Amino acid sequence: MNYDPNLKANPVILQSEELYDYILETNVYPREPAPLKELREASASHPRAFFGTNPDAGQLMAMLLKLVNAKKTIEIGVFTGYSLLLTALNIPKDGQIIAIDIDREAYNIGEPIIKKSGVSKKINFIESPALPILDKLLEEKTNLGTFDFAFVDADKNNYANYHERLMKLVKVGGLLLYDNTLWGGAVAKPEDQVPENKRRLRKHTIDFNAAVTADDRVELCHVPCGDGLIICRRLC
Ligand code: SAM
Ligand code: CA
């Protein structure tokens, strides 16, 4: 067999936008459930449409939810509801999601589509900063270790605070997912090559990624899909 001597030991496989588009067009969009497509399209004119979970990361989330038979979940950072709807579509009829966001207005865009999809009764949307809600849940002992799945996609500077609390709420064997852990590639760039408005959260993201990697209470996997997704499985 001939080997290309120019091939690096660790080639970066997603070398181009075309390759990413190939994945979207070939594998992701053809399988995207119609209500999710509708919600994504309804969110497209929002000035922060880029907030929406990348559909390829969503596809992975959907599979993980099924693999762990998630029934009780929590989401921090809802925006118009793409990840929330996909969670609701992938948990059983009697599943429950606590979904927290400070912005009710953005959720108003996705809510009618969620209602139409018949999954609203699984969702408890709470308009609030997430930390006090998590603290309230922790006060109630019957909540400890009862969540199967948590998705964190909100203020990056609080990821470490969310992690400490979610480690008590999610059961052993349950999953904790953290989104945007590659921060548009900024985590691997020198600080002076990153636009000033991205520097503060770049540092928080780098610190969080290192801290969670050092946390031996979880098994983890950093997946380069979407804008980076760290998947943790609670071990103890
Ligand atoms: N997961 C969403 C989706 O699939 O469309 C995207 C979430 S968006 C990237 C981040 C959201 O976090 C925003 O809607 C914002 O209002 C919310 N957020 C920011 N700080 C927050 C906080 N302290 N508590 C709760 N939500 C917060
Ligand atoms: Ca995100």
Side-chain angles (χ1 to χ4, degrees), residues 188-218:
K189 285 188 183 147
E191 192 184 17
D192 60 3
Q193 284 179 28
V194 172
E196 237 174 276
N197 62 344
K198 287 206 142 195
R199 286 186 194 168
R200 192 176 61 87
L201 293 184
R202 166 191 172 275
K203 174 85 174 78
H204 279 292
T205 306
I206 289 172
D207 290 349
F208 174 72
N209 292 350
V212 82
T213 303
D215 183 350
D216 55 14
R217 298 169 301 169
V218 295

Side-chain angles (χ1 to χ4, degrees), residues 129-150:
L131 275 180
I133 300 299
L134 295 180
D135 286 337
K136 220 169 170 183
L137 288 170
L138 285 168
E139 277 170 23
E140 185 58 69
K141 295 273 175 289
T142 53
N143 285 322
L144 301 185
T146 60
F147 288 82
D148 303 299
F149 189 96

